Amino acid sequence: MKKELIVLTLFLSNIFYCYSNTVSFPTINNFISNSYKDTTFILKEKDSSYYHKIYIEKNRKSNYYKLLTNFKFSKGDLEFINEYYKLFKKRSAPVKKFNLQNIVKEWLPLYKYKDKYYLYAPSDWGNRKMITNSLLFYWYLDGPYPCILTSFSKINLNHYKLTSKDFFDNSDVYVKPAKLSIYIIDLKKNISVWKYWNKKGEYRYGLFVSKEHAKAFDIVVNYCKESKVPEFDFDKIDFKKLLNEK
């Protein structure tokens, strides 16, 4: 019973922090860019009942920046998290607090297109990351998904190591890794390479930027009001080269 009360206290402390910053999460269809003469369209498809466009958003006042950088939990998100907590408790999952050593907490993915890096407003929303002192959140279309931090260490100014555990069955072993290294390759803009390991020891990479530096980059917007559409196919990033250069 004492152990369960400790877990409850730690978890509710995270929930209280998030709830104090709660706002309703808007839908993607509320964010249509204004028309500008310098807008670069990558794709335009239109008929009497269908309008799909992929374009580069350069207006820093665009609502897309507000949407991408909104990490506040909605009421629905908190309900999901509460259900996760019940499962944590049922499975006796240990929730501990770690000193995060001033690491950036909220991250957005970066993508490469024609030798430039961009943020991305996808058709199917998701792929952001958030680190708290006890949980590692992965954002999907239906909301945040928490994994429990099992270790955290700062190797040096540019390198952090984390391990986390997914206490729920899921076949996507890469998205929620067993081990993660975060390499800060640009301290000024807080750009980082994330190297994920799964339980089998296989790994892959991702490029991220802190929420606070999101406006340093234009956004590739994949917009279709009528339906979900295939995601834009960005260029491949040579992550090993990035790490070697830094």
Side-chain angles (χ1 to χ4, degrees):
M1 177 63 70
K2 184 178 179 180
K3 181 179 179 181
E4 291 178 355
L5 287 175
I6 292 173
V7 174
L8 177 62
T9 301
L10 291 173
F11 189 85
L12 289 181
S13 66
N14 281 297
I15 293 298
F16 179 79
Y17 170 78
C18 297
Y19 186 79
S20 65
N21 292 286
T22 299
V23 297
S24 58
F25 196 73
T27 60
I28 190 67
N29 287 338
N30 291 333
F31 290 85
I32 304 176
S33 174
N34 294 326
S35 296
Y36 292 93
K37 292 182 179 180
D38 62 346
T39 298
T40 301
F41 285 93
I42 301 172
L43 174 70
K44 290 177 73 173
E45 299 176 311
K46 184 179 181 180
D47 58 29
S48 59
S49 60
Y50 179 79
Y51 183 30
H52 174 213
K53 59 181 178 180
I54 301 176
Y55 65 96
I56 296 175
E57 177 61 88
K58 300 178 181 179
N59 177 19
R60 294 305 189 264
K61 295 182 179 180
S62 165
N63 282 323
Y64 277 108
Y65 285 97
K66 296 179 183 178
L67 179 58
L68 283 170
T69 57
N70 178 14
F71 281 80
K72 297 176 182 178
F73 290 152
S74 69
K75 182 179 179 181
D77 292 337
L78 293 175
E79 290 173 354
F80 272 121
I81 294 170
N82 187 51
E83 292 302 314
Y84 288 130
Y85 165 70
K86 293 177 181 178
L87 290 173
F88 287 151
K89 182 178 178 181
K90 183 178 180 180
R91 301 187 184 191
S92 299
V95 181
K96 302 177 182 179
K97 282 189 175 181
F98 294 92
N99 182 355
L100 297 185
Q101 302 286 335
N102 297 321
I103 190 174
V104 171
K105 311 300 190 300
E106 296 161 328
W107 297 90
L108 297 166
L110 283 177
Y111 302 88
K112 189 176 183 181
Y113 175 63
K114 292 186 176 180
D115 293 324
K116 287 185 64 177
Y117 291 121
Y118 294 90
L119 300 172
Y120 181 48
S123 176
D124 198 356
W125 209 257
N127 201 26
R128 297 175 300 160
K129 308 288 187 290
M130 184 170 73
I131 304 170
T132 73
N133 59 12
S134 57
L135 301 171
L136 178 59
F137 283 95
Y138 297 85
W139 242 273
Y140 301 104
L141 182 63
D142 55 355
Y145 183 101
C147 290
I148 292 177
L149 282 183
T150 53
S151 72
F152 179 91
S153 60
K154 181 178 180 179
I155 308 304
N156 55 48
L157 185 64
N158 304 312
H159 185 195
Y160 300 85
K161 284 187 176 181
L162 300 79
T163 59
S164 63
K165 187 171 182 180
D166 178 8
F167 280 84
F168 314 107
D169 293 332
N170 195 296
S171 60
D172 194 352
V173 293
Y174 278 119
V175 176
K176 295 173 284 297
K179 186 167 64 172
L180 168 66
S181 273
I182 298 176
Y183 302 93
I184 311 299
I185 62 171
D186 187 330
L187 288 171
K188 186 177 181 180
K189 293 182 179 179
N190 263 326
I191 300 174
S192 63
V193 171
W194 290 36
K195 186 176 182 180
Y196 305 76
W197 285 267
N198 64 15
K199 294 178 181 179
K200 297 179 181 180
E202 301 167 331
Y203 62 88
R204 72 172 186 178
Y205 296 94
L207 188 67
F208 291 85
V209 65
S210 67
K211 177 186 74 173
E212 290 75 16
H213 291 82
K215 289 188 176 181
F217 301 92
D218 297 336
I219 306 174
V220 171
V221 178
N222 188 4
Y223 174 80
C224 184
K225 182 178 180 179
E226 290 79 11
S227 62
K228 298 295 180 184
V229 292
E231 300 299 350
F232 182 64
D233 188 15
F234 286 93
D235 300 334
K236 290 184 178 181
I237 299 174
D238 189 340
F239 290 101
K240 293 182 179 180
K241 182 180 179 181
L242 280 180
L243 291 175
N244 288 335
E245 288 175 349
K246 301 299 178 180

